């Protein structure tokens, strides 16, 4: 394994679960566990520096602001952005909604001429893909419904790979936004970002990347990818719950109208009207998740110290054990690439469908062995429908996942068909 | 018997494999109610139809998919309440709900007789996430009864 | 004092600030400090139960869900609501925006017939007050701009009290929403909720209460107040940053369209369209601030154990010391009720304007004595404009504030005019 | 001298009480630029106008309100740069920015001469929240210069 055993850094991994069994945590795709440094950073903030940021004239307010902005700089550096291109949000979902709602607001005239470039209306198109998480699908559906634009999508093949044959038709002169995920939370496939961005840029469409499953697991540089917006979630990056971030190109962020309105985001307020601050402040109305920002800063520090190249390689090895292992079990279908391509260019995910056994029942049997996985549609109903199943059972890895964890998953999964008597 | 085996008792496995009452039936000229329930955790759905003949639950039929717990549960429901008086059916439904809340203990009173095969679901009560699965059909039944009573056809 | 000295429960209050001076924290109106039980609750969640809630088939997911929903029940009970009437949000600002954006979405046809009761359009009116925090003003301005409705407001008198003489004109048959604060974050005045709600109900307008400054400081029961919606912020309630909550009447919440869209909030998703869950789930798209919810639950537990009646009485005594004290200082103007009414029916706040000295400079002198206050417009530009000042210096109390703190503020404030040579 | 006294040095207090350059002037037929800056922390505003005459900063005037630091700072700015060459004015502005970043230490090089009265602001560098106040006028100056250079009137 490329990474040393890191379990000692993660207090929760020492606990036992059902029947005193040691915990095998393979649900990191849903939410990751937190290293001690992250928990300590959050607690230290509360015990030493907690104060309202940005507007205090007292010492703790200064310290809190410094910690808060320092965390922003750390997150920015982690993805190759400038500090003022990072907006805090409640989670990745809120970050994606911030873009979609900002465009809806611009289309309704909010933001005036300055925001006119974001206006979308009848005759325009918004393009997504069939592999999207609901968080990067539903906001665009509703934007289309509100503005009269048409929603189109890039389909996927039987392995879940985007079919780019009709890309020129699907992303065309009428396309205003192309929103797609960087890595699938089901198949693990890493998207063909370069081809998609090139096409979007050729037709002048904005690109919105869902970085939820890439930023925690592989090196990501927004400038190298040349995307316009990207959403990420701290809780999947070994960070705290309650915070995520949006990257946005500064010139775009500065003129996108805000959609959550209130204190902090505004410049001059009269009873009649309001002017907005520049980005990122214009999008940060209300008291921010300050302690969480500080802890997210600690999380990217921890990941950086491991090295994202090594993280990627480590998790690919885990993926290989899991994916190749489950592919051997009769009656078990691996969603996503199979055969030669199985464990190449994927993140550490293995979602399976066990013939004749409902995912919930599969998960229950694994749980009985102390193995925590996710069951259901993983917020990707269209993709599961495309695969002809309503749900699946998903194991997903992170930096602390060991080869033993991966083997335990494969072994326990192999017992499932017999338990439910479906292989008689 | 481990907790897992206690949840997946043979009765449940059998009902799950060969579920009763599956396939929506047209109950004819009686009061009819229908309900569609979705378990949003996993996307499982059940559509259940009830036909009332006076005070009798004359017909209970359903379609849908789900995990073994939800399928077995609606199958047992069909077995228990079809043909019973409204009063007995409602008492059974209430007993089942109570069993789900009992954290893995049998009710231990005369309602165990009422529940019959459904007592096998006792182990589900230890798994909060699965109670929803077991209740799916019963929620649909309760709702369909309300609809049926409103129905004047 | 009605409450014992609680400083021992709050780790940060033991620290020293400038020149080794002990901290006198009087900025609780901006953000409160956290007792150890709150910090412990959050940490224990991360170290023992952290998992994705609501959809797991494994033990920790069950435990996490139980903790998360238990916290919801605790917060609901704290304000007299039912559990499914409490929606988590990032902060109070987001909670208020949730209502305003939901109405905007309904007005744009989202939510269909079911949501038709929320539609607002030209000819309709939305009413706020001149005392509002920007968070309860700007969302309504923008809603008005988007829908073509007119924005009206209840003015305040020289002491900052709402003038209700024209209430019948300002809140009339065309009024669809009446949004107002429960307690002012500047004057401390508690609003005439009963009169306002009665008038709104008489004309069928929805009532939206900003509970940011009431819920942490006085007993609040949403059913007794008979309001439709109320926003609150955990970080002002001794809880963590990164979470707030919206109370909404269940029958309203169930048909208000969501505005942050994504996983968890949805029922059936196809590429073309989406159906929503019932409340509160429909408003909780994306991974929620779970650890923060648990900690917010611990915070209301701590407040309840003190007893909100005692908290109110305690803080009123602090208010009296501060307000009566500063009223004695020549050249210092107290914003809000003066004279006999000074410290009656107010929360523990004293905002002052020092003649000839800018609030920032006032705050700096206090800071030098270890006294942390807030300076500026406190996100109430219109109210400050009404008072004829651009900003003020505000001291605000909480359960841990002692009489000594209040006296220290008054004494330090008294030195300010001389320091800047304005009383020569 | 405490940190507080170091920040509020007499020079600063004097400039704050009697600020120079206040009141927007029409600089006549030369290149003119104007900038409006708001310190969103406290709502303080400054509108500053610059008139260029070739390579000379011929006129600097302003209006607005703010704390003693921001008022004194723009007053000193007026004193330092009005009538100076563009090059000197820009060097002074840069030196002032560096002083603000110096965490309370003097620059200690020949730029201290350039800064003259402005060296009194050294103590502000210890208070991150106040750096914005001190910089408000200088930001407006920088921006107004850009506008003035664009101006062809
Ligand atoms: C009266 C009032 N309303 C709204 C808010 C906004 O709350 P938050 O910043 O938690 O969103 C505040 C606090 O800043 C407040 O005092
Ligand atoms: C691909 C993808 N997009 C979006 C999300 C939503 O992230 P969050 O729940 O943090 O908003 C997730 C995780 O649930 C995800 O895996």
């Amino acid at each position: 394994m490329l990474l040393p055993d890191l379990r000692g850094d993660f207090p929760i991994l020492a606990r036992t679960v059902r029947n005193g069994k040691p915990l095998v945590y393979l649900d990191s795709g849903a939410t990751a566990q937190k290293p001690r440094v992250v928990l300590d950073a959050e607690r230290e903030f509360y015990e030493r520096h907690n104060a309202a940021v940005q507007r205090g004239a007292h010492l703790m307010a200064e310290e809190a602001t410094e910690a808060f902005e320092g965390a922003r700089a750390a997150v920015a550096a982690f993805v190759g952005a400038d500090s003022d291109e990072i907006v805090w949000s409640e989670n990745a979902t809120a970050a994606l909604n911030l873009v979609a709602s900002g465009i809806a607001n611009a289309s309704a005239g909010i933001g005036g001429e300055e925001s006119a470039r974001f206006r979308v209306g009848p005759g325009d198109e918004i393009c997504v893909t069939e592999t999207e998480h609901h968080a990067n699908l539903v906001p665009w559906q509703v934007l289309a419904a509100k503005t009269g634009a048409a929603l189109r999508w890039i389909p996927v093949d039987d392995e879940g790979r985007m079919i780019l044959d009709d890309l020129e038709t699907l992303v065309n002169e009428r396309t205003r936004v192309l929103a797609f995920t960087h890595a699938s939370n089901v198949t693990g496939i890493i998207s063909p970002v370069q081809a998609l961005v090139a096409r979007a840029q050729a037709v002048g469409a904005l690109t919105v990347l869902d970085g939820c499953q890439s930023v925690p697991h592989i090196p990501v540089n927004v400038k190298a990818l040349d995307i316009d917006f990207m959403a990420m979630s701290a809780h999947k990056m070994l960070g705290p719950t309650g915070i995520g971030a949006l990257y946005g190109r500064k010139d775009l962020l500065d003129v996108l109208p805000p959609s959550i309105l209130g204190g902090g985001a505004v410049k001059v307020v009269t009873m009649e009207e309001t002017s907005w601050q520049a980005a990122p402040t214009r999008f940060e109305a209300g008291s921010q998740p300050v302690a969480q920002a500080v802890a997210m800063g600690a999380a990217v520090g921890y990941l950086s110290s491991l090295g994202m190249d090594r993280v990627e390689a480590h998790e690919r090895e885990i993926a290989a054990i899991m994916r190749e292992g489950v592919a051997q079990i009769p009656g078990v279908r691996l969603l996503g690439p199979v055969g030669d391509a199985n464990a190449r260019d994927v993140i550490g995910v293995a979602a399976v469908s066990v013939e004749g056994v409902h995912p919930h029942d599969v998960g229950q049997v694994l749980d009985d062995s102390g193995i925590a996985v996710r069951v259901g549609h993983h917020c990707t109903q269209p993709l599961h429908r495309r695969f002809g199943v309503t749900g699946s059972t998903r194991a997903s890895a992170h930096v602390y996942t060991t080869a033993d964890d991966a083997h335990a998953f494969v072994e326990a999964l192999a017992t499932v068909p017999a338990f439910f008597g479906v292989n008689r | 018997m481990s907790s897992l085996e206690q949840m997946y008792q043979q009765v449940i496995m059998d009902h799950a494999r060969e579920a009763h009452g599956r396939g929506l039936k047209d109950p004819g000229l009686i009061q009819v109610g229908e309900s569609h329930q979705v378990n949003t955790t996993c996307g499982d759905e059940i559509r259940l139809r009830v036909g009332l003949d006076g005070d009798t639950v004359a017909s209970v039929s359903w379609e849908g998919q789900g995990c073994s717990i939800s399928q077995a549960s609606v199958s047992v429901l069909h077995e228990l309440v079809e043909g019973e008086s409204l009063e007995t059916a409602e008492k059974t439904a209430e007993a089942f709900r109570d069993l789900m809340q009992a954290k893995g203990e049998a009710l231990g009173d005369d309602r165990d007789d009422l529940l019959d095969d459904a007592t096998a679901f006792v182990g589900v009560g230890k798994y909060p996430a699965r109670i929803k699965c077991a209740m799916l059909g019963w929620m649909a039944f309760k709702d369909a009864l309300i609809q049926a009573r409103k129905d004047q056809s």
Side-chain angles (χ1 to χ4, degrees), chain A, chain B:
Chain A
M1 289 289 109
L2 280 153
L3 292 176
D5 189 335
L6 300 168
R7 297 172 64 99
D9 292 349
F10 294 79
I12 203 171
L13 297 181
R15 74 164 276 184
T16 56
V17 283
R18 303 255 192 236
N19 322 316
K21 297 239 172 78
L23 170 64
V24 176
Y25 188 74
L26 287 170
D27 198 13
S28 297
T31 201
Q33 299 305 341
K34 329 301 177 198
R36 204 171 282 109
V37 287
V38 167
L39 304 183
D40 287 348
E42 193 162 344
R43 181 139 192 161
E44 197 205 312
F45 177 81
Y46 284 132
E47 294 196 343
R48 298 286 305 160
H49 313 294
N50 179 58
V53 297
Q54 242 105 30
R55 58 202 68 200
H58 57 84
L59 177 67
M60 286 191 337
E62 283 176 3
E63 292 173 358
T65 304
E66 205 174 299
F68 182 62
E69 293 303 332
R72 193 194 304 273
V75 170
F78 188 67
V79 296
D82 291 337
S83 271
D84 53 5
E85 296 180 317
I86 296 294
V87 178
W88 302 117
S89 64
E90 187 180 18
N91 48 32
T93 300
L96 293 164
N97 275 272
L98 188 162
V99 182
S101 299
I103 295 175
N105 274 355
S107 308
I110 308 296
E113 274 318 300
E114 193 179 76
S115 305
R117 63 182 296 178
F118 291 109
R119 286 184 200 153
V120 168
D124 289 334
E125 295 181 6
I126 296 161
C127 188
V128 296
T129 88
E130 208 177 6
T131 200
E132 295 314 307
H133 188 281
H134 296 161
N136 202 25
L137 166 58
V138 187
W140 306 112
Q141 277 181 352
V142 171
L143 175 64
K146 279 204 253 189
T147 58
L151 186 76
R152 311 195 68 169
W153 56 89
I154 298 170
V156 300
D157 66 17
D158 291 348
E159 291 194 347
R161 284 188 203 283
M162 290 179 204
I163 304 174
L164 299 187
D165 301 352
D166 295 329
L167 185 59
E168 309 237 321
T169 325
L170 289 169
V171 179
N172 57 58
E173 283 65 34
R174 295 181 301 280
T175 308
R176 307 301 314 282
V177 179
L178 172 60
F180 60 99
T181 194
H182 197 176
S184 163
N185 63 327
V186 177
T187 63
I189 293 172
I190 296 172
S191 303
V193 180
Q194 219 182 338
L196 294 169
V197 167
R199 179 61 190 159
Q201 289 179 347
V203 299
L206 293 169
T207 50
V208 181
L209 192 68
D210 177 351
C212 279
Q213 296 291 346
S214 58
V215 178
H217 303 296
I218 63 175
V220 172
N221 183 302
V222 291
K223 303 287 169 184
L225 295 173
D226 206 10
I227 43 159
D228 295 323
F229 296 99
M230 181 179 77
M232 52 195 139
S233 240
H235 70 97
K236 298 187 201 277
M237 297 163 62
L238 314 180
T241 59
I243 193 165
L246 175 73
Y247 156 78
R249 256 177 48 204
K250 186 64 163 72
D251 60 318
L252 293 171
L253 278 186
D254 271 345
V255 291
L256 183 71
S259 47
I260 308 242
L261 314 159
V266 298
K267 212 151 136 184
V268 182
V269 179
T270 65
M271 288 309 290
E272 291 85 359
E273 61 177 6
T274 293
S275 55
W276 318 119
Q277 303 242 31
T281 322
R282 60 163 50 195
F283 301 108
E284 296 178 353
S287 303
Q288 293 296 293
V290 181
Q292 290 73 36
V294 172
M296 185 175 181
V300 300
Y302 183 86
L303 284 171
S304 299
S305 75
L306 298 177
M308 290 307 294
D309 286 316
R310 285 168 74 211
V311 168
E312 176 176 17
H314 174 84
E315 295 181 22
R316 187 142 310 148
E317 287 190 39
I318 302 289
I321 300 173
M322 295 196 302
R323 299 178 69 94
E324 284 159 17
V326 300
Q328 309 300 320
I329 309 173
V332 169
R333 171 183 168 199
L334 177 65
L335 304 186
V338 289
D340 275 359
N342 180 352
R344 278 207 320 265
D345 298 331
V346 291
I347 58 166
V349 167
V352 299
S353 170
V354 180
E355 213 177 291
V357 186
H358 188 278
H360 232 139
D361 294 322
V362 177
Q364 204 74 58
V365 172
L366 298 181
D367 173 55
D368 202 58
S369 304
I371 302 169
V373 296
R374 174 88 176 260
V375 299
H377 51 61
H378 322 310
C379 298
T380 55
Q381 287 182 17
L383 182 63
H384 276 83
R385 213 170 280 125
R386 172 67 182 77
F387 288 143
V389 294
T390 54
S392 60
T393 303
R394 179 187 74 184
S396 51
H398 219 308
V399 297
Y400 41 71
T401 307
T402 63
D404 285 350
D405 292 339
H407 287 300
F409 166 66
V410 175
E411 276 159 33
L413 190 67
T415 69
V416 169
F419 185 88
F420 290 100
V422 290
N423 59 348
R424 284 180 301 189
Chain B
M1 203 160 50
S2 78
S3 291
L4 190 72
E5 283 159 354
Q6 205 193 351
M7 172 150 72
Y8 291 109
Q9 290 186 32
Q10 199 53 47
V11 186
I12 294 184
M13 297 293 227
D14 291 344
H15 272 282
R17 244 190 311 275
E18 211 152 323
H20 304 265
R22 192 196 286 273
L24 284 183
K25 269 193 290 194
D26 177 357
L29 280 174
I30 35 177
Q31 287 183 295
V32 176
E34 198 176 291
S35 173
H36 177 222
Q37 298 287 328
V38 179
N39 182 345
T40 45
T41 311
C42 49
D44 289 352
E45 321 182 31
I46 277 181
R47 187 177 299 280
L48 184 141
R49 193 179 289 163
V50 167
L52 284 187
D53 187 1
D55 277 348
T56 305
V57 180
S59 160
V60 174
S61 62
W62 58 276
E63 60 179 26
Q65 26 259 339
C67 61
S68 53
I69 301 296
S70 74
Q71 301 292 288
S73 174
V74 66
S75 169
V76 167
L77 174 144
H78 167 88
E79 292 291 284
L80 286 181
V81 303
E82 193 176 67
E84 294 297 329
S85 74
L86 207 47
E87 199 193 325
T88 307
E90 289 189 323
K91 261 199 198 139
T92 310
E94 207 187 293
F96 190 79
R97 202 179 50 242
D98 289 349
L99 181 68
M100 288 302 99
Q101 299 307 325
K103 298 186 191 298
E105 303 292 324
L107 293 180
D109 55 27
D110 50 7
R111 291 177 300 165
D112 283 345
D113 295 343
L114 212 56
L115 287 175
D116 195 26
D117 263 12
T119 53
F121 287 85
V122 60
V124 176
K126 280 197 193 155
Y127 295 88
R130 305 309 297 276
I131 295 175
K132 274 192 218 164
C133 310
M135 289 298 298
L136 194 65
W138 295 85
M139 304 262 291
F141 178 61
K142 197 178 153 192
D143 186 40
L145 272 187
I146 295 172
Q147 305 306 325
R149 279 170 162 158
K150 285 193 207 146
D151 186 29
Q152 302 301 339
S153 67

